[in-house]
């Protein structure tokens, strides 16, 4: 049981480039979410999904897209990276009220 | 949106001392949770609180869900070096979960 996995662990992008952060979970959880973590600001919710085919916006959705075609996978897409998107990104899945986080992706946009 | 105020921002304590941190909000939550994050890792759930007034323990950790549903505290007794890390509170209302900014704990042996 791998839990929540994220790839890549580190990524450097140039302004305007696009990329997809991958997230997968093997716990059959319906609820998955993406957060960004910035110094002194805790974690902020970007997008979430309550099941395959259903996604919704969180607190800071601008500049990010998501889709949920399967229960296991919840990729996060940056269409045109900006320096303000430099952050650590965490994917999570939830059972009831207990949320399980992946190890994170550290993204730098230059 | 709902904001959580977590304090203190950081604490430097001696091994064996007790620690207390808290979170307050201007809005009510259905659930309060406390997480710990080690460097380079994702947050790990320590304690979950499901109803107002609830007091829950997990080993040396004790947390309470405030009676107004707008606050929670976490106590760590007899701290040890492996308690070092960042502790986050989180409040949840339906599908919306908000996090505090974290308390960075340093324990001196």
């Amino acid at each position: 049981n791998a839990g929540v996995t994220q790839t890549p662990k580190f990524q450097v992008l140039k302004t305007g480039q696009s990329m997809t952060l991958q997230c997968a979970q093997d716990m059959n959880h319906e609820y998955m979410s993406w957060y960004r973590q910035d110094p002194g600001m805790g974690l902020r919710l970007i997008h979430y999904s309550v099941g395959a085919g259903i996604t919704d916006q969180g607190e800071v959705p601008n500049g990010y897209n998501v889709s949920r075609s399967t229960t296991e996978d919840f990729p996060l897409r940056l269409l045109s990276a900006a320096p303000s998107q430099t952050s650590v990104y965490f994917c999570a899945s939830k059972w009831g009220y207990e949320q399980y986080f992946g190890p994170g992706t550290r993204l730098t946009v230059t | 949106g709902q904001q959580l105020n977590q304090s203190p921002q950081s604490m430097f304590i001696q091994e064996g001392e007790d620690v207390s941190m808290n979170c307050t909000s201007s809005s009510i939550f259905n659930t309060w949770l406390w997480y710990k994050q080690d460097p380079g890792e994702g947050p790990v759930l320590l304690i979950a609180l499901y109803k107002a007034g609830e007091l829950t323990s997990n080993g040396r950790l004790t947390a309470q869900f405030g009676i107004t549903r707008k606050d929670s505290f976490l106590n760590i007794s007899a701290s040890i070096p492996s308690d070092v890390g960042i502790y986050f509170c989180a409040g949840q209302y339906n599908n919306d979960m908000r996090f505090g900014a974290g308390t960075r704990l340093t324990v001196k042996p």
Side-chain angles (χ1 to χ4, degrees), chain A residues 22-38:
Chain A
Q22 302 291 344
C23 174
Q25 54 96 6
D26 60 0
M27 297 174 282
N28 205 33
H29 291 167
E30 292 291 337
Y31 184 99
M32 295 184 74
S33 53
W34 276 100
Y35 292 85
R36 60 178 289 173
Q37 184 175 33
D38 301 295

Side-chain angles (χ1 to χ4, degrees), chain A residues 6-80:
Chain A
Q6 290 182 239
T7 56
K9 198 159 177 66
F10 301 96
Q11 182 71 51
V12 179
L13 291 177
K14 292 189 188 316
T15 298
Q17 285 185 317
S18 63
M19 83 159 293
T20 299
L21 307 186
Q22 302 291 344
C23 174
Q25 54 96 6
D26 60 0
M27 297 174 282
N28 205 33
H29 291 167
E30 292 291 337
Y31 184 99
M32 295 184 74
S33 53
W34 276 100
Y35 292 85
R36 60 178 289 173
Q37 184 175 33
D38 301 295
M41 299 192 72
L43 291 103
R44 291 183 292 167
L45 182 65
I46 304 172
H47 286 285
Y48 66 94
S49 168
V50 297
I54 307 170
T55 63
D56 208 344
Q57 295 181 348
E59 185 184 356
V60 288
N62 293 341
Y64 308 96
N65 281 353
V66 291
S67 59
R68 185 93 179 271
S69 55
T70 66
T71 299
E72 293 78 20
D73 301 298
F74 190 42
L76 177 74
R77 278 183 288 278
L78 285 73
L79 298 179
S80 179

Side-chain angles (χ1 to χ4, degrees), chain A residues 31 37 42 90 94 97 99, chain B residues 31 35 37 88 92 95 97:
Chain A
Y31 184 99
Q37 184 175 33
F90 288 100
K94 189 169 68 162
Y97 290 112
Q99 189 148 243
Chain B
T31 307
Y35 289 83
Q37 186 177 26
F88 291 99
Q92 179 156 317
N95 282 319
M97 181 177 282

